[in-house]
């Protein structure tokens, strides 16, 4: 009979979630507070992951909104998962776990800068991951042609 305390299959555990880097600039203050125009909200995001130990990975989700950049990180234990399946976990599941924390960090920073909070819409990290994988599989000529504006 198997010991119920020892997992026999794949496991995924969150060891820690933390803010790795936070940058806020408010160069137009206090004049920016009296502006009547609605600012254009542009959001950029990137995710990276690296192995920091056997079965231990750090994933960092960085989101930039206005003049706020937040890098939300997490340490994840992933055991019993085939190597081919690790990359999708790091590219989809880990950023999805980190996103609510990063969204809260950005909303708080924007509010502390004196502006109404920014509430980021949910992000489908699976679709983003699939798009990234598809673009990496294109031959170099197609990638260059796809990046040239018409």
């Amino acid at each position: 009979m198997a010991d119920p305390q020892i997992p026999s299959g794949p496991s995924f555990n969150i060891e820690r979630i933390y803010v790795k880097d936070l940058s806020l600039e408010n160069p137009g203050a206090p004049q920016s507070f009296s502006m009547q125009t609605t600012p254009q909200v542009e959001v950029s995001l990137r995710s990276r992951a690296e192995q920091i130990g056997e079965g231990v990975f750090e994933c960092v989700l960085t989101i930039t909104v206005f003049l706020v950049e937040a890098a939300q990180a997490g340490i994840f234990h992933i055991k019993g998962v085939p190597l081919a399946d690790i990359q999708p976990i790091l590219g989809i599941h880990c950023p999805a776990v980190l996103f609510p924390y990063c969204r809260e960090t950005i909303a708080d920073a924007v509010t502390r800068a004196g502006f109404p909070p920014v509430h980021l819409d949910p992000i489908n990290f699976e679709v983003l991951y699939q798009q990234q994988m598809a673009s990496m599989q294109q031959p170099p000529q197609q990638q260059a042609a796809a990046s040239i504006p018409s």
Side-chain angles (χ1 to χ4, degrees):
M1 178 149 98
D3 186 349
Q5 303 229 345
I6 300 174
S8 60
S11 67
F12 176 86
N13 297 305
I14 302 167
E15 183 177 303
R16 182 164 304 188
I17 294 179
Y18 55 97
V19 174
K20 186 162 184 130
D21 189 20
L22 179 60
S23 172
L24 168 67
E25 296 179 32
N26 198 352
Q31 293 80 9
S32 59
F33 301 132
S34 62
M35 296 176 73
Q36 298 299 318
T37 60
T38 303
Q40 179 100 13
V41 178
E42 291 185 28
V43 178
S44 70
L45 72 95
R46 63 188 180 280
S47 177
R48 69 171 179 78
E50 66 178 287
Q51 188 167 2
I52 59 173
E54 187 173 334
V56 181
F57 300 84
E58 179 192 52
C59 182
V60 180
L61 175 64
T62 303
I63 299 180
T64 305
V65 180
F66 296 125
L67 297 174
V68 176
E69 182 173 84
Q72 191 75 45
I75 297 175
F76 302 90
H77 284 246
I78 305 170
K79 305 236 181 203
V81 176
L83 190 58
D85 295 335
I86 295 276
Q87 193 58 42
I89 292 170
L90 295 173
I92 299 168
H93 189 65
C94 293
V97 168
L98 296 173
F99 179 72
Y101 296 94
C102 195
R103 177 175 43 197
E104 179 182 17
T105 299
I106 288 172
D108 183 56
V110 170
T111 302
R112 289 179 183 270
F115 297 101
V118 173
H119 299 288
L120 299 175
D121 291 333
I123 296 172
N124 187 332
F125 288 98
E126 183 174 2
V127 169
L128 292 177
Y129 180 80
Q130 290 171 351
Q131 290 172 346
Q132 182 182 18
M133 291 297 105
S135 71
M136 290 173 53
Q137 292 176 355
Q138 291 179 348
Q141 292 109 352
Q142 287 183 347
Q143 285 181 356
S147 65
I148 298 172
S150 50

